[in-house]
Amino acid sequence: MKEFYISDCTRHENKIITSNFVVVRKQIKPKKTGEPYLALTLGDRSGQLEAKMWDNVEEVLNAFEQDDFLKIKGLVNKYKNRFQLTIHKLRRLGESEIEFSDYLPKTTRNIDELWQTLTDFVASFQNHHLKTLVQAFMSDPEIAAAYRNAPAAKTLHHAYIGGLLDHVVSLCRSCDLVSRNYPQVNRDLLLTGVFLHDIGKIHELAYNRSFSYTTRGQLLGHMIIELEMLQAKLALFPDFPPELKTLLEHLIISHHGEYEFGSPKLPMFPEALLLHYMDDLDSKMEAMRAHFEREAELESPWSSYNASLGRPLLNSTKFLSPKAPAPPDDSSSLTEAEGETERAGESHEETPTLPGFKA
């Protein structure tokens, strides 16, 4: 098992660490001199970390690829208020050295209990057609196994093993409650939309080494895949009402809510509108929770900038908690070593790219 995880960066700032990581992204970029440097995104089950290798790069350029596992020695520091790793040495790990559970985050909730909760919701359906349809999906061994393990997204929300099921159960609870306040909402139709709205993620996303997109996922996206999956299951039920089929298809293709967010259609009936807003809310609340968890050791109640939400975040629990007396401020000047590290980071990051190279 790893001794250093990315979530430990706060405790190891300005320290040399040696640990294993999976390569989430690999880029080769030019320095001012034209020589190459490595820009990597590294991952483990606690998160992701940007990393740079400036020296002796030619020796390792072709030694590994994306999704490979590396043993890395380097310096943990901050640049523009974000942690990064300056790599001194690296080598590719052999299969026998890899403990896969170290690299993919997993839900802390009990998968069997989540699956039973979802089963109970479906059992409560009054509409026979919708109940038998969803039960047909859940009794399919291949779909059930993938549904229990898939993440709900690559990075934005519920990006962990079991994230899809976690997200869907959370949505079922929320939609069940909210539907009681709106008598015009068909609860069974809404919850069927909840079950189906991200089911295509089981084929869109790959999650063996790191979270990435499959070729089908890149080319089609989960909504098209979901329409195909729905069509295949409905072929088992020739008496399924065509009007109900059309509503399910609209729930799938409209759940992102806006054209700019990838919805071919805007939500046009109550259940579709409610599905979009509840899905958006659950996703954003999970994104906030995960961001606060990653920065739990920071003293400030303000988080760093959250790219998916487009803002820094205030941890209201931390903000309202009693404040400990502030220690004397002795950080008015950097040590010589810290200053050199900071200047080195600035020098590299501000370097313009050469023509023909992407930033």
Side-chain angles (χ1 to χ4, degrees):
M1 179 174 286
K2 279 157 55 80
E3 294 182 0
F4 171 89
Y5 287 91
I6 290 170
S7 58
D8 298 327
C9 281
T10 302
R11 294 190 288 110
H12 291 79
E13 186 175 356
N14 297 320
K15 294 180 181 178
I16 302 290
I17 61 98
T18 300
S19 191
N20 303 337
F21 305 94
V22 63
V23 180
V24 178
R25 184 168 61 248
K26 174 186 176 182
Q27 294 178 297
I28 303 170
K29 296 183 177 182
K31 301 179 188 177
K32 279 194 286 193
T33 61
E35 296 176 322
Y37 75 91
L38 276 176
L40 306 179
T41 302
L42 304 175
D44 63 27
R45 72 186 185 197
S46 70
Q48 295 185 356
L49 179 66
E50 298 304 311
K52 305 288 191 297
M53 186 171 186
W54 307 105
D55 302 316
N56 304 315
V57 174
E58 291 83 356
E59 300 173 9
V60 298
L61 274 182
N62 301 314
F64 68 94
E65 298 299 334
Q66 182 174 308
D67 289 336
D68 281 342
F69 295 88
L70 303 178
K71 184 167 188 173
I72 291 177
K73 179 179 181 179
L75 173 69
V76 176
N77 56 10
K78 268 187 177 178
Y79 178 72
K80 293 186 177 178
N81 207 33
R82 294 191 180 202
F83 282 109
Q84 64 176 10
L85 183 65
T86 302
I87 300 172
H88 299 160
K89 295 180 181 180
L90 65 80
R91 71 171 177 86
R92 185 172 176 269
L93 292 173
E95 291 291 317
S96 62
E97 299 177 273
I98 300 167
E99 186 70 44
F100 286 93
S101 61
D102 287 338
Y103 301 96
L104 289 179
K106 184 177 182 180
T107 180
T108 57
R109 295 178 173 86
N110 185 294
I111 293 290
D112 290 333
E113 290 178 3
L114 289 173
W115 189 254
Q116 185 58 53
T117 300
L118 182 58
T119 301
D120 293 342
F121 271 114
V122 177
S124 71
F125 284 11
Q126 300 300 307
N127 185 293
H128 169 72
H129 296 291
L130 294 176
K131 178 188 286 189
T132 54
L133 173 65
V134 177
Q135 287 175 338
F137 276 105
M138 296 184 71
S139 62
D140 184 315
E142 184 179 347
I143 291 176
Y147 206 107
R148 290 163 61 100
N149 286 287
K154 181 172 176 280
T155 55
L156 294 182
H157 69 94
H158 298 87
Y160 46 80
I161 298 299
L164 173 61
L165 180 58
D166 200 346
H167 173 50
V168 166
V169 169
S170 175
L171 264 182
C172 282
R173 290 173 175 144
S174 298
C175 288
D176 179 50
L177 287 172
V178 174
S179 65
R180 300 176 196 180
N181 198 45
Y182 300 103
Q184 72 271 33
V185 168
N186 183 319
R187 173 185 178 272
D188 292 357
L189 179 60
L190 174 61
L191 293 186
T192 303
V194 168
F195 178 83
L196 293 174
H197 84 286
D198 272 350
I199 195 172
K201 298 285 181 72
I202 69 175
H203 299 303
E204 182 185 37
L205 297 173
Y207 42 96
N208 291 324
R209 291 173 172 250
S210 63
F211 296 138
S212 59
Y213 290 102
T214 64
T215 299
R216 278 190 83 206
Q218 284 279 26
L219 296 179
L220 302 179
H222 65 282
M223 293 185 197
I224 297 297
I225 294 172
E226 285 157 10
L227 292 177
E228 292 180 351
M229 294 175 71
L230 177 62
Q231 196 71 30
K233 276 290 179 277
L234 287 177
L236 304 174
F237 306 104
D239 62 338
F240 196 91
E243 297 84 2
L244 202 51
K245 171 179 176 286
T246 300
L247 294 182
L248 293 178
E249 291 169 331
H250 183 78
L251 283 165
I252 288 170
I253 66 171
S254 69
H255 78 268
H256 282 189
E258 302 288 347
Y259 296 131
E260 57 265 38
F261 298 148
S263 268
K265 287 291 184 179
L266 303 181
M268 295 183 186
F269 55 84
E271 294 80 8
L273 187 67
L274 190 52
L275 173 61
H276 159 60
Y277 281 115
M278 298 307 293
D279 178 41
D280 187 57
L281 175 63
D282 195 68
S283 303
K284 285 181 166 58
M285 291 300 291
E286 169 58 20
M288 276 195 170
R289 184 207 63 78
H291 198 85
F292 291 147
E293 182 179 76
R294 285 192 297 271
E295 301 189 352
E297 295 188 20
L298 296 181
E299 292 184 9
S300 172
W302 281 101
S303 77
S304 61
Y305 183 82
N306 183 286
S308 66
L309 296 173
R311 72 205 76 167
L313 308 174
L314 178 69
N315 187 328
S316 53
T317 301
K318 193 180 289 187
F319 181 68
L320 293 172
S321 64
K323 308 295 187 297
D329 184 6
D330 58 356
S331 59
S332 58
S333 63
L334 294 171
T335 67
E336 184 177 347
E338 289 170 332
E340 287 300 319
T341 299
E342 184 174 278
R343 286 192 293 274
E346 290 176 356
S347 171
H348 291 304
E349 287 291 329
E350 306 269 356
T351 300
T353 57
L354 294 175
F357 287 83
K358 289 184 178 180

